[in-house]
Amino acid sequence: MITEIALTVGVIISLIIGLFFTGVAGIGLLKLDNAMSRLHAPTKAGTVGIGAFLMASVLHSFLLGQGSFHEFLILGFLFITAPISANFMAKVNLHRQNCTPPPAPPRDDMWATLNVPEADRELADPQELA
């Protein structure tokens, strides 16, 4: 009896959380002005909202006595594919020049090399440079 009430409350809370985050994702998708901003809302808030809906489904299946873990496979697939697809969509927007490109990185000749500036050579141990 207590377990059924706790699972029912858990289902209700998960549905409310899912409804809130999915609603935020939908509003963000409609209200944000450019493609890169619109990309952020469904990939972040939508993923959390759908995750909460799937958690409600898991709790409901245990409430009925038919435990199901298939939702965790869906959730894992969603958490893996949502950031990857968002990354590809962002790259397409950058490639098509539909958005402001990020600033160019500063020139750095020492990154991932063994070049040491002259000012730092004086501070370094002579045995390390040999």
Side-chain angles (χ1 to χ4, degrees):
M1 179 73 172
I2 301 280
T3 306
E4 292 175 2
I5 293 172
L7 286 175
T8 304
V9 169
V11 168
I12 292 170
I13 290 172
S14 294
L15 287 174
I16 290 171
I17 291 171
L19 180 68
F20 173 75
F21 279 103
T22 306
V24 167
I27 291 170
L29 189 61
L30 293 174
K31 290 288 187 176
L32 295 174
D33 56 351
N34 62 16
M36 294 296 269
S37 296
R38 269 185 259 131
L39 184 61
H40 185 73
T43 56
K44 305 299 183 267
T47 303
V48 173
I50 293 171
F53 285 142
L54 289 171
M55 185 56 67
S57 177
V58 168
L59 293 174
H60 183 67
S61 68
F62 279 107
L63 181 64
L64 296 177
Q66 305 168 352
S68 173
F69 290 105
H70 296 109
E71 289 85 356
F72 290 114
L73 294 173
I74 297 169
L75 192 61
F77 181 75
L78 179 69
F79 282 170
I80 290 171
T81 58
I84 293 170
S85 61
N87 187 18
F88 282 138
M89 287 186 267
K91 284 184 177 184
V92 166
N93 279 324
L94 287 172
H95 180 69
R96 288 185 174 179
Q97 297 177 349
N98 290 341
C99 59
T100 306
R107 177 104 173 117
D108 188 8
D109 293 332
M110 294 174 295
W111 184 82
T113 65
L114 297 177
N115 292 340
V116 178
E118 291 298 324
D120 290 342
R121 286 180 192 259
E122 297 170 2
L123 300 174
D125 187 20
Q127 293 177 349
E128 289 179 8
L129 296 177

